Structure formats: structure tokens, C-alpha cells
């Protein structure tokens, strides 16, 4: 049965096939090594709550979660032009990758998840990881739709 964590793990796994992405994660790890940059980190939740509605079609529930992905392209340590170029150059590739039909990028989700779509991007973002390092990157908001059957 499909779950939000399973979807996010798969999104992180397939992110490694996007040219330029060196690492991807769900769940988040405590640190980011500079050797793993650019990193795409996925989180459950965006700027809206997850909606769950009854579904007569599946005798279950229709889930409408939002996800956030943050691109940590480069640590802010000096060469600002190179840092900006590294981050901005990946934004379109990430959106284009996920905004295709699911069957084109994930056989694991195809058939279970109806839709995943990047609906907003905040480029040129300064992001901070919990250990205090600041990064140049971008933030992506995804909308998703899938059904879960009720178990007896």
C-alpha cells in the first residue's frame, strides 16, 4: 500500500538520475558533505497541510499531500558566481524531470500514484542545514494525489 514516506523515498532514489545531482535524501541526514553537493533533500509538507478525502472509487481515502524538496547546490564559501551558476542551472532540469508522467520516471510509483507535479519553485534561495552551514540553492513545492484503500 502506498504511503507518503514510500513516495518520498522513491523520489529521492530516482533524483540520482537527474544530470548534475550527486546525492538525494529522504529522510534527511544530520549533515551534508561538500563532496555530495548538489544534494536534493525531500520533506513531507510544503506550505499546505495534507488533505485526505473519502473516496467511493477505492472504498478508501484520496490523499492530497504536498512535498517540499530543497536543492543544496553549493556551500556559500566564496565563489558566488560559481555557486549561483551551479544552483540555477539545475532548477529547470529538476522541474522537467518530475513534471513528466510518473510512468516515465518511476515504475515503483506508476499505477499507485496518480499525480506528482512541481507547482512552485523558489530559486536563488539561501538555505541553512541544521548544523549551521549555509547553502545556495532552490526550494520546490510538489502536489501529489494517490488513493489508499481501507483495510478491514
Amino acid at each position: 500500500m502506498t504511503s507518503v514516506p514510500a513516495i518520498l523515498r522513491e523520489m529521492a532514489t530516482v533524483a540520482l538520475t537527474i544530470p548534475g545531482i550527486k546525492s538525494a535524501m529522504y529522510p534527511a541526514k544530520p549533515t551534508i558533505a561538500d563532496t555530495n553537493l548538489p544534494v536534493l533533500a525531500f520533506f513531507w509538507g510544503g506550505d499546505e497541510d495534507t488533505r485526505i478525502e473519502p473516496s467511493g472509487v477505492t472504498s478508501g481515502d484520496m490523499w492530497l499531500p504536498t512535498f517540499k524538496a530543497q536543492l543544496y547546490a553549493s556551500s556559500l564559501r566564496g565563489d558566488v558566481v560559481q555557486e549561483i551558476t551551479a544552483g540555477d542551472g539545475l532548477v529547470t532540469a529538476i522541474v522537467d524531470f518530475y513534471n513528466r508522467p510518473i510512468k516515465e520516471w518511476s515504475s515503483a510509483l506508476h499505477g499507485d500514484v496518480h499525480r506528482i507535479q512541481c507547482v512552485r519553485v523558489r530559486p536563488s534561495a539561501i538555505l541553512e542545514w541544521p548544523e549551521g552551514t549555509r547553502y545556495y540553492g532552490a526550494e520546490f513545492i510538489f502536489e501529489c494525489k494517490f488513493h489508499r484503500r481501507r483495510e478491514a
Side-chain angles (χ1 to χ4, degrees):
M1 184 179 297
T2 302
S3 69
V4 171
I7 293 168
L8 291 170
R9 279 191 300 275
E10 176 66 4
M11 289 180 76
T13 298
V14 300
L16 298 174
T17 66
I18 300 171
I21 299 296
K22 287 176 86 177
S23 182
M25 63 178 129
Y26 178 83
K29 296 181 173 98
T31 61
I32 296 175
D34 279 355
T35 56
N36 290 336
L37 295 173
V39 172
L40 193 57
F42 291 87
F43 304 90
W44 184 352
D47 50 2
E48 296 180 20
D49 294 337
T50 294
R51 288 188 3 240
I52 302 169
E53 300 176 2
S55 172
V57 174
T58 61
S59 299
D61 297 310
M62 178 176 62
W63 285 58
L64 300 164
T66 58
F67 309 141
K68 175 173 59 175
Q70 291 181 321
L71 171 66
Y72 296 84
S74 57
S75 56
L76 295 172
R77 297 207 175 132
D79 188 348
V80 175
V81 172
Q82 183 178 357
E83 293 163 353
I84 290 172
T85 302
D88 290 353
L90 290 170
V91 170
T92 302
I94 292 166
V95 172
D96 288 350
F97 181 84
Y98 289 106
N99 280 10
R100 299 178 296 151
I102 292 171
K103 68 182 179 181
E104 292 180 15
W105 57 267
S106 174
S107 59
L109 297 179
H110 175 62
D112 291 331
V113 178
H114 304 286
R115 173 177 41 99
I116 295 175
Q117 181 176 6
C118 183
V119 295
R120 282 189 305 289
V121 177
R122 184 172 59 99
S124 302
I126 305 302
L127 305 169
E128 189 169 326
W129 200 249
E131 91 282 5
T133 305
R134 292 169 27 117
Y135 297 88
Y136 183 85
E139 187 171 81
F140 304 82
I141 301 296
F142 293 87
E143 292 179 350
C144 177
K145 175 184 174 186
F146 68 97
H147 287 85
R148 289 180 53 91
R149 296 187 191 282
R150 289 192 189 102
E151 295 183 16

